[in-house]
């Protein structure tokens, strides 16, 4: 076991909660991530198009294999040097932002299989800047057909008119092939802009992109816009939103978290993917960046301290496991409470010190919540297996998102069968379904 800080308070932690931005660099003790090992492994799993002819057959086989998988696919597209590879490396490979300065230009599609959570299993495909839709080796129809989200990255520090033209071409093609794709636009590198300039740029990009779509008769195509930078948490926030749209269980999780916080006197809760610090769900109160950043920093700190002091003497063990738990009391009467939920997920709560006096109640409710979350995913896996075993007809495939059932699945604990949350006044609260 490692990383247990149960009941311990780290004095003055609030003041020192900002370790260097990405201290998690290549942690060997995080849950095994098949694609996170080395750059070499990463490249082995890539495939290319429009490259040397003798590589083509192999590449096509790779592509066919990749397309065969049922995992949701997220595409990263945009002009050269807009920041696509940097985003992928910083969010999923713990590269520090300053290291991205040395990234070489991508000339192949890199397929990165993210299996960092038991249910958020998706692939990120990083495209080279010079994608040519007219290149016969680039089968864009096949690629777009299996895509869940298309992220188009626009460099906000550059003249973005060319990027807007490319955005229009890309999304209109993709939409014609697969109208179910979520189209996400990252107005990126905004760290170099003043606050006013950021807002103005986003407004301008939004306006021009939508005008282009209206002119092309594509008003029904919806684009979502995010201001992002790899130098702060905005890129993680934006990616969280992108990923959440691909999680069919999101409404169930949100309901569970709402019930949990209202019965436990908690102010805000995030369910995090530990490795990427993407939050896969939160309660329905608004997210403010400060709270999100605080929770991200807490995860970094727990993993860092665990990696140093929590492993066995022979260095075995994991920096994050079922006993991982941390409590930090800040100097402004706020308490941060982190607890393991699954191998890949952790819950981070923000609450007042006085609410934390009822720790027993919080722990009991956490136990119910944890059980419910496990049931959500067990039900999902069972349902997925049943569906896959029974039929492969288009009718059955249709409601699936790349192999995962859409629509809410109600765990027993949530429905009041397998348990119930306790309320702060100690009465029992059976779950409200729906
Ligand atoms: N200031 C700033 N620079 C960034 C940011 N993201 C990426 N960059 C820089 O932008 C440059 C290009 O980044 P890449 O990630 O290589 O861009 P790309 O879109 O993958 O480029 P291609 O592979 O040529 O298509 C690098 O020098 C990065 O350090 C950001 O958020 N802010």
């Amino acid at each position: 076991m490692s990383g247990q800080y149960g009941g311990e308070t780290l004095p003055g932690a609030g003041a020192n909660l900002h370790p260097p931005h990405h201290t998690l660099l290549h942690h060997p003790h995080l849950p095994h991530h098949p694609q996170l090992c080395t750059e070499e492994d990463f490249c082995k799993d890539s495939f290319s198009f429009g490259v040397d002819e003798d590589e083509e057959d192999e590449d096509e086989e790779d592509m066919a294999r990749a397309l065969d998988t049922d995992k949701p696919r997220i595409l990263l597209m945009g002009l050269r040097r807009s920041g696509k590879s940097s985003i992928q490396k910083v969010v999923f490979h713990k590269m520090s932002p300053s290291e991205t300065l040395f990234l070489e230009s991508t000339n192949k599609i890199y397929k990165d299989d993210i299996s960092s959570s038991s249910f958020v299993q998706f692939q990120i495909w990083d495209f080279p800047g010079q994608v040519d839709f007219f290149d016969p080796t680039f089968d864009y129809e096949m690629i777009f057909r299996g895509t869940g989200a298309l992220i188009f990255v626009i460099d906000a520090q550059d003249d973005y008119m060319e990027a807007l033209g490319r955005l229009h071409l890309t999304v209109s093609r993709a939409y014609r092939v697969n109208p179910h794709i979520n189209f996400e636009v990252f107005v990126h590198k905004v760290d170099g802009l003043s606050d006013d300039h950021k807002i103005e740029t986003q407004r301008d990009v939004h306006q021009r992109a939508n005008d282009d779509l209206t002119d092309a008769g594509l008003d029904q195509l919806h684009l979502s816009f995010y201001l992002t930078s790899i130098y702060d948490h905005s890129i993680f926030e934006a990616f969280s939103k992108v990923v959440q749209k691909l999680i069919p269980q999101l409404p169930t999780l949100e309901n569970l978290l709402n019930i949990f916080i209202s019965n436990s006197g908690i102010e805000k809760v995030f369910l995090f993917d530990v490795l990427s610090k993407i939050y896969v769900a939160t309660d329905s109160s608004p997210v403010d960046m400060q709270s999100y950043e605080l929770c991200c920093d807490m995860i970094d700190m727990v993993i860092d301290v665990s990696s140093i002091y929590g492993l066995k003497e022979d260095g075995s063990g994991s920096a994050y496991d079922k006993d991982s738990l941390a409590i930090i009391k800040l100097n402004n009467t706020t308490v941060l409470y982190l607890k393991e939920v699954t191998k890949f997920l952790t819950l981070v709560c923000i609450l007042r010190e006085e609410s934390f006096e009822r720790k027993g109640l919080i722990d009991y409710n956490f136990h119910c919540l944890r059980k419910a979350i496990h049931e959500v995913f067990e039900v999902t896996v069972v349902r997925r297996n049943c569906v896959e075993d029974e039929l492969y007809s288009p009718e059955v495939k249709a409601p699936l998102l790349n192999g995962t059932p859409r629509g809410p699945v109600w765990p027993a604990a949530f429905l009041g069968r397998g348990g119930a949350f306790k309320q702060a006044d100690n009465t029992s609260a059976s779950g409200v379904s729906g």
Side-chain angles (χ1 to χ4, degrees):
M1 155 0 261
S2 65
Q4 179 151 7
Y5 305 99
E8 272 184 36
T9 302
L10 304 182
N16 298 315
L17 256 177
H18 295 282
H21 192 56
H22 290 291
T23 43
L24 270 171
L25 248 168
H26 302 299
H27 262 301
H29 301 292
L30 275 168
H32 178 65
H33 190 302
Q35 301 294 323
L36 271 182
C37 312
T38 60
E39 189 69 14
E40 201 185 338
D41 291 342
F42 179 61
C43 295
K44 262 192 254 156
D45 222 26
S46 66
F47 61 86
S48 59
F49 66 91
V51 289
D52 299 346
E53 273 181 23
D54 53 348
E55 284 180 12
E56 265 181 32
D57 286 350
E58 208 181 311
D59 292 338
E60 271 169 29
E61 274 175 37
D62 281 348
M63 184 185 263
R65 257 202 309 279
L67 291 167
D68 259 0
T69 68
D70 253 351
K71 292 181 183 171
R73 193 175 307 147
I74 298 178
L75 311 185
L76 273 168
M77 300 180 108
L79 294 187
R80 266 183 183 283
R81 311 299 289 157
S82 54
K84 303 174 292 296
S85 309
S86 307
I87 293 173
Q88 189 200 26
K89 296 280 187 184
V90 168
V91 176
F92 296 104
H93 296 269
K94 302 299 159 206
M95 183 177 271
S96 80
S98 51
E99 278 182 83
T100 64
L101 288 168
F102 310 107
L103 281 177
E104 284 185 12
S105 202
T106 316
N107 58 9
K108 293 173 166 192
I109 300 175
Y110 282 106
K111 176 183 74 80
D112 190 10
D113 198 345
I114 309 298
S115 309
S116 56
S117 134
S118 54
F119 73 103
V120 186
Q121 301 218 334
F122 52 85
Q123 300 174 340
I124 309 281
W125 287 18
D126 179 12
F127 281 71
Q130 81 288 8
V131 167
D132 179 3
F133 287 107
F134 302 101
D135 185 330
T137 62
F138 178 48
D139 192 347
Y140 68 87
E141 293 213 356
M142 216 200 318
I143 289 171
F144 290 144
R145 227 176 282 131
T147 293
L150 189 160
I151 299 174
F152 195 92
V153 184
I154 295 179
D155 183 346
Q157 294 186 13
D158 202 9
D159 173 18
Y160 46 78
M161 296 314 283
E162 189 191 346
L164 282 170
R166 198 72 202 173
L167 166 71
H168 181 74
L169 178 72
T170 308
V171 298
S172 50
R173 276 190 184 249
Y175 183 78
R176 285 196 188 98
V177 176
N178 179 0
H180 301 295
I181 296 177
N182 299 327
F183 295 102
E184 321 279 5
V185 182
F186 285 7
V187 181
H188 191 54
K189 304 191 190 179
V190 292
D191 47 274
L193 310 184
S194 68
D195 284 351
D196 284 351
H197 196 172
K198 274 185 205 174
I199 305 297
E200 175 57 26
T201 306
Q202 184 177 19
R203 198 197 53 75
D204 194 40
V205 169
H206 185 289
Q207 181 77 43
R208 287 174 190 270
N210 282 325
D211 285 353
D212 286 349
L213 290 175
T214 309
D215 291 348
L218 288 167
D219 314 62
Q220 67 285 28
L221 196 162
H222 177 75
L223 301 174
S224 304
F225 294 86
Y226 309 81
L227 290 169
T228 56
S229 164
I230 53 169
Y231 288 95
D232 58 33
H233 288 80
S234 57
I235 193 64
F236 294 91
E237 240 259 285
F239 234 106
S240 300
K241 301 246 170 76
V242 170
V243 167
Q244 283 167 24
K245 291 188 194 166
L246 299 175
I247 301 175
Q249 301 92 339
L250 189 66
T252 312
L253 291 173
E254 244 174 48
N255 276 330
L256 283 169
L257 295 175
N258 283 339
I259 295 175
F260 172 65
I261 63 163
S262 63
N263 289 317
S264 312
I266 289 171
E267 295 196 345
K268 186 75 195 156
V269 66
F270 292 96
L271 185 61
F272 273 98
D273 176 30
V274 185
L275 196 76
S276 62
K277 285 178 289 164
I278 278 176
Y279 67 96
V280 298
T282 181
D283 60 277
S284 45
S285 67
V287 175
D288 78 277
M289 271 303 257
Q290 245 186 334
S291 311
Y292 174 63
E293 286 177 21
L294 203 57
C295 295
C296 287
D297 288 345
M298 184 176 191
I299 294 175
D300 277 346
M301 192 215 67
V302 169
I303 301 294
D304 283 351
V305 176
S306 279
S307 307
I308 300 168
Y309 300 106
L311 304 178
K312 295 195 183 120
E313 275 182 8
D314 62 358
S316 64
S318 167
Y320 182 74
D321 63 20
K322 65 180 173 39
D323 296 314
S324 293
L325 161 71
I327 298 160
I328 297 177
K329 288 189 180 167
L330 306 184
N331 56 10
N332 61 357
T333 73
T334 304
V335 174
L336 301 177
Y337 188 37
L338 175 150
K339 229 162 149 43
E340 186 263 5
V341 175
T342 74
K343 194 174 169 193
F344 304 106
L345 295 176
T346 193
L347 198 76
V348 186
C349 311
I350 300 175
L351 63 158
R352 302 258 127 238
E353 229 169 56
E354 54 269 24
S355 307
F356 199 65
E357 282 162 15
R358 293 187 295 259
K359 183 167 175 299
L361 172 82
I362 294 171
D363 284 342
Y364 177 82
N365 284 342
F366 173 81
H367 173 75
C368 295
L369 175 71
R370 188 176 186 278
K371 197 165 161 223
I373 292 174
H374 276 256
E375 284 187 38
V376 166
F377 302 132
E378 272 160 30
V379 172
T380 302
V381 170
V382 170
R383 278 182 54 175
R384 183 166 54 211
N385 291 345
C386 291
V387 170
E388 280 173 3
D389 284 354
E390 275 173 25
L391 279 169
Y392 271 86
S393 71
E395 291 77 21
V396 174
K397 276 269 173 191
L400 305 182
L401 178 66
N402 299 300
T404 314
R406 269 190 193 280
V409 278
W410 307 106
F414 187 48
L415 292 169
R417 289 198 304 273
F421 291 108
K422 283 212 164 129
Q423 287 178 325
D425 61 6
N426 276 343
T427 55
S428 202
S430 55
V432 188
S433 59

